Amino acid sequence: ARGGRPQAARIAAARALDIGRAMREEVAPMGFDPLEGDADRRIVEALAAAPEPGRAPPGRSGDPDVRRVLAIHRRLASERTPAALLDAILDSMIEVTGAERGLLLVRRRRTGDLAVRRTRNLAADALAGPDGGTIVPGGCSAPGASPPPGPPRNLAAQPRGSVSLTIAQEVARTGEPLLTTDARADLRFAASRSVHDLGLRSVMALPLIARGRVLGVVYLDHRLREEAFDPASMDLALDLAGHAALALQTARHLRLLRLRRREIERLNSELGRRVEQQEIELSGLRETLSGALPSGEAERFEGIIGRSAPMREMFRRMRRVAETGLPVLILGESGTGKELIARAIWSGGSRRAGPFVTENCAAIPEPLLESILFGHVRGAFTGADRDRPGLFATAHGGTLFLDEIGEMPLPLQPKLLRVIEDGEVRPVGGAVSRKVDVRILAASNRDLGAMVREGTFREDLYYRLAVLTIRAPPLRERPDDLAPLVEHFLRKHGGGRDRRLAPAAMRILAAQRWPGNVRQLENTIVRAIVMAEGDEIGADCVDPGQPAARPGEAAADAAGAAGTDDLDLHGNVEALERRLIARALHAAGGNRTRAAAMLGLSRFGLLKKLRRLEPASAR
């Protein structure tokens, strides 16, 4: 407008307002106006609204140049990505000026160097720098450099170094456009060797300026014609360059906003996952706090460590059954502390003043079990040299805990049922029964219901024992109790020293499934204390003692986990018992006593399992 070209100023201002509206609509969902408070916006609005006497408003004129410029403006405004916009800018510049060749250079954001981004009718080796070397896309000068990836359009066979970038670099430095009708005779380039060596004639170079910053340069030339560009075409190209610079800056901003939006979405997603995880942890803490046992309750169940939800549920059931005199069946895997539970029920009940007698039914040979339970009289069998009371008589007025009740021989089960129903016990070889007042607590790590269906355990005895049931949760179902259990065992076996586990060692323990449950964990801590040299127990001292599965077994386990055809619990448990016994015997070199110790059984208990699982091998 100051240069005396009001019509071009109104056209450019009108398109600038269109760009502003498009940009505000694009970023409106992000919640801000990028042009709010911009002083240039008011100037542009005034220029666009200024009337011109005798002329129609821009966009309604019949002038072909105006229609062509408006069409180019619309094309540039429709491009949303910088890559497509660069092609549109250079093609439009060549179209309105009639240039033979064209070159578009863009300034790098970080370094400020010019980089060749688009060429038309130029080979990659046709770009000569001030020293005569080749300028390759990317802005580095290197004679003989390799061409850029992807050929430019309309490549022509041209001599090396047929375009000088001296002009483009000068325009980028000053920010002023340049037009010369004969570069060889132009005194401004008298000192430029490359301009004279290349014999350039008509040259036009236009800066792409947005908000006072040079974003790049458009270089156009014609090697054959002098005065190929006139001031009118330069004015039109300048208008187009101003619009192109704003469009390029807008496209860059939109691209940056899209990248930032994707990054924000990624961060929000990550934040959501973290918040969800923290909510789960907080929910667990709230559940723990809300269900924490009152003070003194832990003392009532002394020796049982646990504050997790499964343990709190078990404690609630224990409190209910402790005050009754009914039989209780305690179910759970080996090593879950079933005897501790039975002792806690006895100590918290009304019979705590009476004796608490325990017996493992799997540890006594079958011929002796009846005598041990019910007693015998002198001469009842060989070696019975005097009368002996049985465990029922010993537990009179108190509680008898029968562990591994599932291992009791089937012929002995009706006699136990009669004692429970009648409250009378008759010793082996005796003729007189005596009354006994005993509460029965039984425990098993086997599925007694399945044994009833198989006929290996009496149904009537099962229902007499399972009047009340308590399930001891395995350690893998109560991971929150792992840390307090570790601390308890460190104090118990630490010899009065302040023993502690290194974080890496604790991570190893947390990753285990603990098939041996609390007993296996205690043995692991004892081994770690022995192996540790100082008070801190490192990861190298922690060995849960779980043998690695053999390849065939791992495949079988994987197949079993993947399918649902074989869900026979009893059959799978027996298969697992066979594998574990085979491993123990192999590790013990066939020594059954050592194998039984590894399995946590007595030698007699191992023999019973061998007879039940592998009759042929037992013989």
Side-chain angles (χ1 to χ4, degrees):
R2 288 193 296 269
R5 295 156 46 221
Q7 179 182 356
R10 279 193 294 275
I11 293 173
R15 290 307 305 156
L17 292 178
D18 289 342
I19 293 172
R21 282 192 292 272
M23 182 162 59
R24 288 196 299 273
E25 291 174 0
E26 182 75 18
V27 301
M30 302 180 188
F32 70 97
D33 185 352
L35 298 180
E36 184 178 2
D38 187 357
D40 291 341
R41 176 180 173 183
R42 293 190 294 271
I43 298 174
V44 171
E45 289 174 345
L47 287 173
E52 181 184 2
R55 295 295 299 270
R60 298 181 183 177
S61 172
D63 188 342
D65 288 341
V66 174
R67 291 200 303 270
R68 182 169 60 172
V69 169
L70 290 177
I72 293 174
H73 285 181
R74 285 194 295 271
R75 178 185 175 189
L76 297 183
S78 66
E79 297 293 350
R80 295 300 184 187
T81 61
L85 185 59
L86 293 177
D87 286 323
I89 291 173
L90 185 54
D91 291 340
S92 301
M93 287 291 188
I94 293 176
E95 177 185 347
V96 300
T97 61
E100 178 196 6
R101 306 182 304 179
L103 179 69
L104 178 60
L105 302 95
V106 177
R107 192 181 297 279
R108 295 176 185 271
R109 284 181 182 158
R110 295 182 179 178
T111 63
D113 298 335
L114 284 178
V116 177
R117 295 303 187 196
R118 296 293 184 274
T119 61
R120 295 295 183 265
N121 295 330
L122 285 169
D125 58 356
L127 311 179
D131 57 354
T134 300
I135 305 294
V136 298
C140 49
S141 178
S146 60
R153 302 178 204 171
N154 305 323
L155 289 181
Q158 302 168 27
R160 178 178 294 275
S162 62
V163 171
S164 174
L165 293 183
T166 304
I167 297 173
Q169 292 169 344
E170 181 65 17
V171 170
R173 186 184 66 82
T174 63
E176 296 293 333
L178 183 145
L179 173 65
T180 179
T181 57
D182 189 353
R184 296 173 300 175
D186 198 323
L187 296 179
R188 290 176 292 179
F189 306 106
S192 176
R193 178 171 58 85
S194 61
V195 170
H196 290 277
D197 291 345
L198 298 172
L200 298 178
R201 292 179 180 271
S202 298
V203 177
M204 180 189 297
L206 306 171
L208 300 176
I209 302 176
R211 296 185 180 274
R213 182 173 178 267
V214 178
L215 303 181
V217 175
V218 177
Y219 171 92
L220 306 166
D221 73 6
H222 206 299
R223 296 170 297 171
L224 305 178
R225 290 168 42 198
E226 294 182 1
E227 301 182 357
F229 309 127
D230 57 17
S233 63
M234 183 173 182
D235 288 344
L236 194 60
L238 272 175
D239 293 337
L240 183 59
H243 175 69
L246 289 174
L248 180 59
Q249 186 182 55
T250 301
R252 282 182 169 181
H253 286 169
L254 291 176
R255 179 175 178 273
L256 182 61
L257 288 173
R258 284 192 293 269
L259 292 175
R260 289 180 176 175
R261 180 169 59 187
R262 285 196 292 268
E263 178 65 13
I264 289 172
E265 290 174 353
R266 186 189 67 80
L267 293 175
N268 282 338
S269 177
E270 178 66 22
L271 180 61
R273 286 193 295 270
R274 292 187 180 183
V275 169
E276 182 179 359
Q277 181 63 32
Q278 290 177 355
E279 179 59 30
I280 292 174
E281 294 175 359
L282 289 175
S283 176
L285 290 175
R286 285 194 293 267
E287 182 183 358
T288 299
L289 291 175
S290 63
L293 295 174
S295 59
E297 196 65 51
E299 298 176 358
R300 184 175 183 179
F301 301 122
E302 184 178 0
I304 304 178
I305 308 298
R307 297 292 184 181
S308 61
M311 292 298 289
R312 292 200 307 272
E313 174 61 26
M314 187 186 75
F315 289 151
R316 281 192 289 270
R317 293 185 65 85
M318 289 171 62
R319 289 196 298 272
R320 293 190 185 103
V321 306
E323 296 297 333
T324 71
L326 298 174
V328 179
L329 178 61
I330 305 170
L331 301 175
E333 298 177 6
S334 178
T336 52
K338 297 185 288 296
E339 183 173 348
L340 287 176
I341 295 172
R343 192 175 294 275
I345 293 174
W346 163 72
S347 64
S350 58
R351 292 176 175 262
R352 53 183 168 271
F356 179 75
V357 181
T358 68
E359 187 56 70
N360 189 327
C361 298
I364 305 174
E366 180 178 342
L368 298 179
L369 183 57
E370 181 180 2
S371 171
I372 290 176
L373 288 177
F374 309 130
H376 64 265
V377 298
R378 180 181 177 182
F381 51 84
T382 303
D385 55 352
R386 60 181 179 276
D387 293 348
R388 286 188 178 273
L391 294 181
F392 272 92
T394 304
H396 180 69
T399 301
L400 175 61
F401 173 58
L402 298 177
D403 198 5
E404 301 296 346
I405 191 67
E407 304 297 330
M408 177 172 286
L410 192 59
L412 191 58
Q413 293 178 20
K415 299 179 180 180
L416 175 62
L417 176 63
R418 187 181 68 248
V419 174
I420 296 175
E421 290 180 341
D422 300 339
E424 294 183 351
V425 58
R426 186 173 65 183
V428 177
V432 179
S433 299
R434 59 168 294 185
K435 285 283 186 181
V436 290
D437 178 16
V438 176
R439 184 184 190 183
I440 302 296
L441 303 181
S444 178
N445 60 4
R446 301 182 61 186
D447 185 354
L448 297 184
M451 294 180 66
V452 169
R453 291 190 295 272
E454 294 170 358
T456 56
F457 197 86
R458 291 181 62 96
E459 183 177 11
D460 48 4
L461 176 60
Y462 171 74
Y463 288 116
R464 289 295 294 177
L465 293 175
V467 177
L468 299 171
T469 61
I470 290 179
R471 177 178 177 271
L475 186 54
R476 62 179 174 274
E477 293 181 6
R478 38 185 289 219
D480 294 342
D481 294 332
L482 182 63
L485 283 168
V486 169
E487 293 179 4
H488 170 73
F489 292 136
L490 287 174
R491 288 193 303 268
K492 178 180 178 181
H493 303 288
R497 296 169 58 179
D498 184 19
R499 302 280 191 171
R500 59 190 178 277
L501 278 183
M506 194 64 193
R507 285 194 294 270
I508 292 177
L509 297 182
Q512 304 299 317
R513 288 190 56 80
W514 302 110
N517 295 293
V518 180
R519 183 185 296 120
Q520 181 188 1
L521 175 63
E522 182 174 11
N523 292 339
T524 300
I525 297 301
V526 172
R527 284 195 298 269
I529 291 174
V530 173
M531 297 302 296
E533 296 181 357
D535 289 339
E536 184 174 78
I537 301 174
D540 57 333
C541 300
V542 175
D543 178 17
Q546 293 176 231
R550 299 173 184 172
E553 294 170 357
D557 291 343
T564 57
D565 294 334
D566 184 12
L567 293 179
D568 179 12
L569 179 62
H570 181 66
N572 284 312
V573 169
E574 285 194 348
L576 177 61
E577 286 183 343
R578 288 190 185 95
R579 290 201 298 270
L580 292 177
I581 290 173
R583 287 187 198 171
L585 289 171
H586 178 74
N591 187 308
R592 294 181 176 181
T593 302
R594 290 174 55 196
M598 293 178 183
L599 295 168
L601 301 173
S602 66
R603 187 177 187 280
F604 178 72
L606 175 59
L607 292 176
K608 288 186 63 176
K609 285 186 178 294
L610 285 173
R611 284 195 298 269
R612 179 170 55 85
L613 299 173
E614 300 287 349
S617 63
R619 291 193 294 269

